[in-house]
Structure formats: structure tokens, C-alpha cells
Amino acid sequence: MQEHIYIHKQISHVHKKLDFSVVPISFFNFFFVAAISALFISLSHPTHHNLQNNLLTVKTYSSTNRGPASFQIMSKMLVCGLLRLLIAALAGILLFNGFCFSQTAPKYSFMHQATSAPALSYFDYIIIGGGTAGCPLAATLSQNATVLLLERGGSPYGNPNITNLGSFGQTLSDLSPSSPSQRFISEDGVISARARVLGGGSCLNAGFYTRAETRYVNDVGWDGRLVNESYTWVEKKVAFEPPIKQWQSAVRDGLLEVGVNPYNGFTYDHLPGTKVGGTIFDVDGHRHTAADLLQYANPSGLTVLLHASVHKILFRVKGKKRPTAHGVVFRDAFGKKHRAYLLKRGPKNEIILSAGALGSPQMLMLSGVGPSDQLKAHNITVVLDQPFVGQGMSDNPMNAIFVPSPNPVEVSLIQVVGITNFGSYIEAASGENFAGGADFGMLSPKIGQLSTVPPKQRTPEALAKAIEAMEALEPAVFRGGFILEKIMGPLSTGHLELKNKNPNDNPSVTFNYFKEPEDLQRCVNGLKIIESVIESKAFTQFRYDYLPLPVLLNMTANAPINLLPKHANVSTSLEQFCKDTVMTIWHYHGGCQVGRVVARDYRVLGVDALRVIDGSTFKYSPGTNPQATVMMLGRYMGVRILRERLQG
């Protein structure tokens, strides 16, 4: 009894010390990168104990105390003690730096800084956004036309944080104005990121490569043969088969053991059951991005301008039955204004928006195409009242469970996926911390976005103390990984609105996660599969027998992974767990949907010489991960547009 009281007091003391009400931190990566912020909190207090001793104490206590009260105490001990394990393991997954490699830039003679651009220029096609769709689109169109590709960010080449698998989290944690990643927070309270670099989201994501399901292709109305040819065109440059090691193998075998069948082996295809998908990381752990697809380009037909921020699409209205896009205004890194126009020869010349699910609807509105009341509120001249611009915004919600491991695990991102028959996809990631140096990347007390040392308090003494605490970590705390689920679709939708007239600022976006009951049920069903995998025979070597699932759920839910209010003991309700721990995996889409804003050929309805080709046109996210299909779409539509041009 005395021991019971003593432990209870110690737990209460720990809870008081572990104050997560400080500056809200985000979920940047495909799992709980946000939770890493708590690492400094836990390490900066005297309650930081030897983790192995803590786990041993819990194991001993759990074996001798079986009542409800003892279970509550054990749960509290684990929520406090293992939260440090959760956060530290996240740091390991994100900060593995066993190698340092910086991909050298291809000899792109057509790539320049926007500061070198003339004040006035003319092209057959002007593409706004050099991202996942824009790069393959530009490379294709350049074969038979002159193309200007305007990218607001810089080059991915020469940046090891983009190239190296182990540096995956560091680019996402960089909040500087020149960062390849631009943070945004949805009105739902979920923190995310959008790309600001040539190659777009393919420079920032977890690298999983898989095609859309056949039904998706048929429903959209794409030409199946050209779709397959376009996927193959992409895969020759950027897709690889990943090496499957112990953690991913256990997840694969666990999925099969609990009934996510059949096993489809390694394939890019979307097939029900369990499979190993592709990756854009090669065998050496080096990322290949959509920017690599520019190797296909005709150098004499393409001009790529970096740090070129487009402010407006220009329309001709006078003497036209419909507004006709004919040019753009963009500014370089020094703020100097440039104009680029479509060549007047031939009626097939067009401006193409490929700025992504946030950027494309935002640019349409800034150019006068959108809901008239919203445009007028920002003093924007209405070119076309289009109420559907910015509508239908969706993000596939993701939820995960952290599993501390008694054995070492490999560093892995998404490699295995379980495609269930109820609309939930199961994936996993794992890692250990081999980070060297005193800065600790994204956790750096000096510059790291996830540091809990506020900028104004970063005295030499405070920094030295924080770094010393991090260096005291034991290897055991870095063992573990995540099993996550995300839902297909989703059915829940929201909207996007302008905040101001600055194209470099984020618009306001609401996704309405789990607004539709079917989305919530898919999440619950997916979590049940994850629980079964954790308890499977195949996963035995990667779990502690004395850590029950309710403790794992509560431990995960207590991490600061979003800005939503927390509820106690969410392990009693998977529905509440889904709502409280919702995160993004960056599969947001919509805002310029086919049938509402653009036609099936991606021409903007109501205006001429303007298309939108990117994920903003999707009603649902394709397959388990959309990047392969977005790259395919760029190539696919480039071929279709050139065919129209030659036939015309």
C-alpha cells in the first residue's frame, strides 16, 4: 500500500512537470514528427529517469498488481515514461544521418534564377508551378513547343536534407523564408506543409510510389493505355523497389496473419491485400524527385525560372466572348516585376496552373476567377464569378499508434501497405537515431523548429544545457516505430478562402476531418487492424508483452500532435482517438475539381487558354498515395495537349 501511494505521488509529480501547454507544435511528417517537441520538455526536468529501469519497474509492478487501481497507475507510468520513448524514437526516425549525400544538379542548361529573366518574354506555354505535375508536364510540352516553367522555390539539387532518406524530417522543420517547405495550419487545427521547391511535394514526402486503382482511372475517364505508358515513363527515372528489412517484414507478415490477404509481393499496382510498394528512394537512400523528369526535356524548348513568384494571371476581356488568359505577372527574389505572355501565333497556346491544391485555387482567385463576394472583399476585379473555386477541399486523415520495441529496428519510411476491403490503408515506419553533431537537426535548440527553447531565451547557457540533455539519451530510447492507417476518399470536404492578396502567404483552408460518419468508421476499422497486427505472432519481437494496447493508445494521444483539445483515456473510444489524434499525410486535394471548376480536359470552365493540371482537380485521392498519379498526370496531359496541337 505504501509503495502504491509512493508511486502515485511520483506520477502526479511527473504529470505536473510534463507541461505540454507551451507553444503548439505541428505534425509535419507522415507520422508524429510534432510529438518530438515534447522531448526537450521531458529532458529538461529532473524527472527524466533511466528508461530501461522505468520499463523494468513497470514490468515488475504489472506482474504483482492486477487490480483496476494498479492498472491505472501502470498506465500513468507508461504514458509519462513511454512518451519520452515515443518522442525520442521519432527523433531517431527523422534524424538518421548515417550518411550524408547531396545530389549534384543535372546539367540543366534551361534552369535559371528569375533575376536573370527579361522584363518581357513570350512562350507557347506558361506553366505556373514546377512541382509534382508541373515538371513532367513541362518536359513533355518542350518536345514540340516553347515552354516557360515558373517555380516560386529553389532547386532541390545540392540540398542533402532533400536527398537523404535519413534527413527526411529536417527540411520539413525548416521554417525559414527560403525553406523548401512552407508550413500551414488548417482551420481544423491540423498542422501541415506545402512544397516551395522545384519538384514540389516529391522533394518532401515519405517517398512511397504506387499507382491508382483501375477503377479510379476508369471513373475519371482517362485513356488506360496512355495512363500505363505515362506511369512507365515516370518510373524509369524515379521509382525503385525498396529493401524490406525486419520491421517492415513483421508488419507485412502481421497484416497477412490478421487477414489482409492476399499477398501481392512487390508491385506498383493498387491491389487489395498486402503488398510491397515502390519508393522514390534508391538503394543508397537517395531521393529522386519530379525535378529529375526534366531530364526528358528538350533544352531548346524549355526555360525554368526559380524563385519566380507569380502574382497574377492576365486576361483579355474586351472584344472577347469569354475572358482569355494571355500572360502572367511574376516577381523575382529581389521583388522585381516581370511579365510573360503567350505567343500570338496559333490558337493552341495556353497558360497552365500546376501550383497544387492550395496554390492553384488561390492563384485563380487572385487573378479574378472565383466567388465574387470573396474577390470583392479583397478588392480583386472579378473576371469570372466562379463559386466552386476553393470548394471540395479534402485531406485524407491519418492516425497512428506508436509501438516501442525491445529490439533494434531499421530506419524505414513507407514500404508495405495493407489495402483493406473497407476503405482503410495500413502502413508503417520505423527508425533509430544515428544523428551526429551538436545541432540535432530539427530538434536543434539553436535553430530547430521543434526546440522548446524560445528564440529570445536562447542564451549560450540555455543552449548548452539543452544540448547536454540530448546527448545524455541512451540508445534504448530510440527503438520503435509506427503503424498508421489512413482512409480512402475521403467523403468529408471543406473549403479554401483567401486571407490576403499576397500569393506567398497561405490561404485559409478547412478540411472538416471526419465530418462524414463513414470516414470515422473507416478510421475505427483501420485502428482495429493495427491493434491486431501489434498482437500478432509475426510482431512478437517488436513489442513489450507487458504494454497493453490501452496504454499505447493513451501514450500516443497524449503527444502534442495537433492543436485539437485532448480527452482523457481515449483508449475507451476509438472514435474519440480518431478525432483527437488526426494528422495529415499531405494528401490534400480539391479546390479546382473536374466538373466544377475544370472540364475533363482540365480547361477552366468559362474562360479560354487556361487549364489546371494537378491534384487540385481531384475529387478523391488516387490509390494509397497520390504522388505517382500526379506525376503521371503531368506526362499524360502533356502528351494529350501536344496531340491536340499537332492535329490542330
Side-chain angles (χ1 to χ4, degrees), residues 146-158:
T146 59
V147 180
L148 173 64
L149 179 61
L150 298 169
E151 168 52 45
R152 70 187 185 121
S155 168
Y157 302 108

Side-chain angles (χ1 to χ4, degrees), residues 26-334:
S26 74
F27 170 77
F28 269 110
N29 302 330
F30 64 97
F31 42 80
F32 296 6
V33 69
I36 301 177
S37 57
L39 177 62
F40 278 128
I41 301 174
S42 62
L43 291 177
S44 63
H45 294 291
T47 55
H48 176 64
H49 300 298
N50 182 296
L51 178 65
Q52 289 175 314
N53 290 339
N54 188 19
L55 291 176
L56 181 60
T57 301
V58 173
K59 181 178 181 180
T60 304
Y61 187 78
S62 66
S63 65
T64 57
N65 297 271
R66 300 295 184 181
S70 64
F71 178 78
Q72 289 180 355
I73 294 173
M74 183 180 71
S75 296
K76 289 181 179 180
M77 292 174 68
L78 289 168
V79 167
C80 294
L82 290 180
L83 183 55
R84 288 195 291 270
L85 172 62
L86 158 68
I87 294 158
L90 280 164
I93 294 170
L94 299 175
L95 298 178
F96 169 71
N97 285 302
F99 51 80
C100 184
F101 173 85
S102 178
Q103 187 176 2
T104 56
K107 294 181 180 179
Y108 287 162
S109 60
F110 46 76
M111 188 168 70
H112 312 280
Q113 294 295 323
T115 51
S116 66
L120 192 64
S121 56
Y122 295 86
F123 297 86
D124 295 326
Y125 295 99
I126 300 172
I127 301 174
I128 302 171
T132 314
C135 285
L137 177 62
T140 302
L141 292 178
S142 70
Q143 300 303 318
N144 290 95
T146 59
V147 180
L148 173 64
L149 179 61
L150 298 169
E151 168 52 45
R152 70 187 185 121
S155 168
Y157 302 108
N159 185 341
N161 289 341
I162 290 176
T163 301
N164 294 333
L165 182 152
S167 301
F168 167 56
Q170 296 188 25
T171 299
L172 291 159
S173 70
D174 180 1
L175 296 186
S176 68
S178 61
S179 171
S181 170
Q182 182 175 358
R183 169 178 169 171
F184 75 92
I185 306 173
S186 76
E187 300 302 318
D188 315 274
V190 175
I191 308 177
S192 189
R194 56 191 292 211
R196 183 167 51 193
V197 61
L198 187 70
S202 66
C203 297
L204 308 176
N205 63 29
F208 197 58
Y209 183 98
T210 182
R211 298 182 177 190
E213 57 268 50
T214 302
R215 185 177 66 179
Y216 188 99
V217 173
N218 294 336
D219 289 347
V220 174
W222 292 331
D223 178 337
R225 182 174 180 178
L226 181 56
V227 164
N228 289 333
E229 291 174 355
S230 298
Y231 274 126
T232 301
W233 182 88
V234 170
E235 288 154 11
K236 287 179 179 178
K237 293 291 184 183
V238 304
F240 306 89
E241 179 177 356
I244 303 300
K245 297 183 180 179
Q246 59 267 29
W247 173 275
Q248 293 287 337
S249 295
V251 173
R252 175 198 63 200
D253 296 344
L255 285 167
L256 294 172
E257 184 179 326
V258 302
V260 186
N261 294 306
Y263 179 52
N264 296 304
F266 166 70
T267 179
Y268 295 139
D269 293 333
H270 183 99
L271 301 172
T274 297
K275 75 164 191 171
V276 175
T279 178
I280 60 174
F281 289 98
D282 63 26
V283 68
D284 296 318
H286 303 150
R287 181 191 296 270
H288 295 258
T289 75
D292 292 2
L293 299 176
L294 293 174
Q295 295 173 37
Y296 284 119
N298 171 14
S300 63
L302 178 61
T303 299
V304 176
L305 295 181
L306 303 177
H307 298 111
S309 177
V310 177
H311 282 240
K312 188 177 182 180
I313 299 170
L314 303 173
F315 292 92
R316 283 197 180 98
V317 179
K318 292 183 179 180
K320 300 287 184 180
K321 293 181 179 180
R322 293 155 39 116
T324 301
H326 72 110
V328 300
V329 177
F330 66 94
R331 293 183 182 274
D332 61 29
F334 296 147

Side-chain angles (χ1 to χ4, degrees), residues 221 285 325 420 447 487 515 573 590:
T420 69
I447 59 173
I487 68 170
K515 180 181 179 181
S573 169

Side-chain angles (χ1 to χ4, degrees), residues 4 7-16 18 20 54 58 61 68-84 547-548 550-552 554-555 558 568-569:
H4 183 121
I7 295 175
H8 183 75
K9 288 181 178 179
Q10 292 301 308
I11 293 300
S12 299
H13 176 66
V14 171
H15 272 287
K16 289 178 181 178
L18 293 178
F20 295 120
N54 188 19
V58 173
Y61 187 78
S70 64
F71 178 78
Q72 289 180 355
I73 294 173
M74 183 180 71
S75 296
K76 289 181 179 180
M77 292 174 68
L78 289 168
V79 167
C80 294
L82 290 180
L83 183 55
R84 288 195 291 270
L547 298 185
V551 171
L552 296 181
N554 285 326
M555 178 182 64
N558 276 290
N569 199 21

